[in-house]
Structures are given as C-alpha cells and as structure tokens.
Amino acid sequence: ILGNVLRTPCPVSEALSHLTGSRVVCKLEYLQRTGSFKERGACNALMLLKGKKLKGAVTASAGNHALALAYHGKRLGVPVTVVMPKFAPLIKSHNSRLLGANVILHGDSFMEAKQEANELAKKEGLYYVHGFDDPHVIAGAGTLGLELIEEVPDLDAVIVPVGGGGLLAGVSLAIKSVRPHIQVIGVEGSTMPGFAAALRAGEPTTVPAVPTLADGLAVGCVGTNAFQIAREHLDRLIEVDEATIAQAILRLIEMEKAVIEGAAASSLAALISGQLPELSGKRVCLLLCGGNIDPLLLSTVIEKAMAADGRLVRFVASISDRPGGLAKLATLIAEAGATIIEVTHDRAFCGANAFNVNVICRVATRDAEHAAQLIQSLSIFDARLM
C-alpha cells in the first residue's frame, strides 16, 4: 500500500510532554485523506480484491472504516456498500455517500449492522471486508507500527486505542516482531470494555452496547483473529472513563491544535488518567488514529471537559430584583476576573420575598481554584454551585 496511503508524520509534542511527564510523540493518522488509520486496511483489502470475480465489497462500520473503504473503492474502481448502525455520526454517513458508497443505516448496534451486511454479501455476491478482523485489514493496520519503528528509534512504549482489536493486533504484531522491548499498551473505554471481557473469558465475548464519546471504540465483540494476535503481544490493557476522554479531546485541541475524535483521544486519556506512572520520562507514542468527530458532539464535549476542569461553572445567586441588583453581581464577577456567559432569572421559585430574584449564572473561570474563589467572593448573594 506504499504510495496509496499517506505515510503520516510522528512529531514530538513538547506541550503534551510537559503535561504528562513522558516524552510524547504523536502519530498523526487523522491526516489520512478520510481522517483515520482505517485507510491502511481498507486499501490493502481492496487491492487484493481487484481481479476477483465479485460484484463489489460490503462492510459494517460505525464510520471510519466505511469512509476508508468508500474512498479507496472509488479510487480503485470497486463498488462499495456500507451498513452503519443508526447511531453513526451524521458526518461519517454523509461523507461516505459523498465518496461514492451505497450507505445503509440499520440496527441499534454494530452487531445488528454487521448481520445486515452479511446478509447483503450472501444475497448480492459481495465480498465482506471486516473492519477489524479481516487478515488483510489487520495487516494493513500493522504498517502503522512499521512506520513508527522507523520514525522513533528510541521508542519505549506505544498506547493503542482498542475497539474491535484490529489496530492493536496489527500494530502489536509489527512492533513486537521487530522491537520486542517496546511496551504495547491497549486502552479502551470503560463503557464497553470488550477486550477486557475477552481476556477474562479467554475468547471474544459480547458486551452490552452503551452510548459513548468514543464511538469508534463502541464494538460489542472484539474480532476473533484480532484477539488471538493481540493477546500474544499486548503488555497491558487499561480502561478510561468518559470524563477523561472529554478532557483529552480538549487538551489536544488546545495544546496540539488537533481536532481528534474520542476513540483516538483515548490514547492521551490513558496517559493523563494516572494509571501509567511507569511511563514518566519514557518515550511514548500516542496513536491519534482518527479525527472524524461529529461537530455537534464536539461542542458538547468541550463544555463537559471545561466543566470537569472547573473552567466552566454554574451557580445560583439570590439578588435584589430592584434596579442595580444584577449590575452589582456582574461587577463582583468582573472584579474576580471571571467572564459571564449566560444569566437566567428565576422569579417563580425564589422564595417568599417578592423583592428578591434568583439568577442562574454560567461563568468561565481559569480553573477550579479560581471558581472556588469566585463563589467565596459572592457569599453576600448566597451564591452556591449547581
């Protein structure tokens, strides 16, 4: 696939190194044409498919694999049909159509979408390209690991997001085959820890589908081939929660000027979660493997992350409803160095005093300590956090 996909850069991040205490490099897979590492496996599978007597390719995907298959299918002249679960981000289904794929929305989980895609493959004579368990897809993903070894000769560890396990399988196999001393650490969301469940059971097992910021990791059951490969080469597996993923997305926007989806940001989430103190001072690669986050979700994530940081607070204060009451409150907020974002008056549920009013304020602050200082300075208004 060399020359058919982008060989992505892997620069040092001084900002993230300072934040985490590790010597961080970031593999910028979101720079691929369709925004994720999935192009590697899709391109490899479709190039091997060309020449076979099949009517085209079909797959089930939450988004990135669909985009990659659609793009390379159009480029290589292979008709592509993608089946997405109904919760797939609108931007991914829309862009898959723009790239020429026949997009079908079906089911409330990846497994239901996969069943539909399997039926289409049988009915219409299509080749099913599994997004994370096809051996050619896993092999394509592994090229990322080979590039990484060449680009970062002093690498100590790589943190790999884990959904269905294809990326982990390919990267871990490539790295451990050439540099066995490099630690391979998998990270998955705590909402759907499918790989952890498989390790406990000794085989792939289904976990309940749960909505998550990291939709690319929302796979109900890891792949059989992927699991068998990855379990032999994985050094450690950890889980990160939704709040930490949201914070990681915000840190990447602010520090790296990179808009990254939740699945990809989980690699940074692992490093800032406090679960990997042994990586302090080590050369660590974060696989920023996708950048196709839904814009509507992004705005929500930024606000949630700022609230978790204490940089966005909401409080209620009881003020006089006479002229000047709100101005006095606003003056104290300004003097404290905070910024008012929104103010809402509540006269119906503010108690018996007809001359008082509750105001619900959303305010931007520097950090949690600044927010606490602000609330203390507003004690004369009986201000309290909500």
Side-chain angles (χ1 to χ4, degrees):
I1 62 174
L2 188 63
N4 293 284
V5 298
L6 179 66
R7 185 185 176 103
T8 54
C10 192
V12 172
S13 171
E14 293 185 7
L16 295 182
S17 297
H18 179 75
L19 173 69
T20 64
S22 299
R23 297 183 296 133
V24 175
V25 296
C26 297
K27 185 65 168 163
L28 309 185
E29 280 297 290
Y30 63 90
L31 296 179
Q32 296 288 354
R33 166 63 180 82
T34 59
S36 87
F37 80 96
K38 291 287 190 178
E39 285 198 24
R40 296 174 181 270
C43 180
N44 192 41
L46 289 177
M47 289 180 72
L48 292 169
L49 177 63
K50 283 206 72 176
K52 293 185 178 180
K53 295 180 179 180
L54 292 164
K55 295 180 180 178
V58 64
T59 192
S61 170
N64 284 337
H65 178 59
L67 290 169
L69 207 65
Y71 171 65
H72 286 286
K74 184 176 182 179
R75 189 178 64 81
L76 296 169
V78 179
V80 168
T81 296
V82 296
V83 184
M84 293 184 175
K86 294 175 183 177
F87 64 79
L90 292 176
I91 189 172
K92 294 181 181 179
S93 59
H94 175 69
N95 286 343
S96 294
R97 289 189 177 95
L98 288 181
L99 290 169
N102 172 32
V103 177
I104 299 171
L105 297 178
H106 180 88
D108 295 320
S109 69
F110 173 80
M111 297 304 293
E112 291 181 10
K114 183 176 181 297
Q115 289 172 359
E116 178 67 13
N118 283 330
E119 288 299 319
L120 286 172
K122 295 175 185 176
K123 190 188 308 180
E124 300 183 15
L126 305 175
Y127 176 73
Y128 184 85
V129 184
H130 199 293
F132 51 81
D133 210 38
D134 187 305
H136 304 314
V137 169
I138 293 173
T143 63
L144 193 160
L146 296 179
E147 287 181 16
L148 186 56
I149 291 168
E150 294 178 359
E151 293 164 338
V152 192
D154 62 341
L155 186 64
D156 294 306
V158 57
I159 302 178
V160 186
V162 183
L167 178 62
L168 179 63
V171 168
S172 65
L173 177 58
I175 287 178
K176 290 295 187 179
S177 297
V178 183
R179 298 282 190 273
H181 69 278
I182 296 175
Q183 286 191 70
V184 177
I185 300 168
V187 55
E188 57 185 354
S190 58
T191 56
M192 291 183 67
F195 206 92
L199 287 174
R200 288 192 297 270
E203 61 183 3
T205 185
T206 301
V207 296
V210 179
T212 171
L213 296 176
D215 61 273
L217 305 185
V219 178
C221 185
V222 300
T224 301
N225 294 322
F227 177 69
Q228 294 299 331
I229 296 169
R231 71 186 301 191
E232 300 298 324
H233 302 95
L234 178 66
D235 291 294
R236 187 174 176 190
L237 180 71
I238 65 172
E239 297 175 14
V240 290
D241 60 27
E242 294 286 284
T244 309
I245 292 173
Q247 286 181 311
I249 292 172
L250 181 60
R251 298 290 182 273
L252 287 162
I253 291 172
E254 293 180 323
M255 296 181 171
E256 290 300 303
K257 312 303 180 281
V259 179
I260 301 299
E261 60 190 90
S266 65
S267 57
L268 176 59
L271 204 53
I272 65 176
S273 69
Q275 300 180 69
L276 299 170
E278 68 274 18
L279 296 185
S280 179
K282 302 290 187 180
R283 174 68 76 196
V284 179
C285 178
L286 306 180
L287 298 190
L288 304 186
C289 52
N292 294 315
I293 189 168
D294 189 306
L296 293 176
L297 178 60
L298 179 61
S299 63
T300 300
V301 167
I302 290 173
E303 289 202 341
K304 284 183 177 294
M306 291 184 68
D309 279 348
R311 295 157 61 187
L312 183 66
V313 296
R314 186 174 63 151
F315 62 86
V316 60
S318 179
I319 67 173
S320 170
D321 202 19
R322 296 182 183 277
L326 182 59
K328 186 177 181 181
L329 174 65
T331 298
L332 285 177
I333 293 173
E335 289 175 348
T339 301
I340 297 173
I341 296 175
E342 183 180 38
V343 174
T344 304
H345 287 74
D346 175 16
R347 291 183 173 84
F349 301 96
C350 60
N353 190 338
F355 299 100
N356 273 11
V357 61
N358 282 347
V359 287
I360 302 167
C361 302
R362 289 205 323 150
V363 175
T365 54
R366 291 188 299 274
D367 50 33
E369 183 180 355
H370 185 207
Q373 292 171 353
L374 171 65
I375 298 302
Q376 181 62 34
S377 70
L378 298 178
S379 59
I380 60 172
F381 291 108
D382 189 28
R384 55 195 183 278
L385 292 171
M386 296 180 68

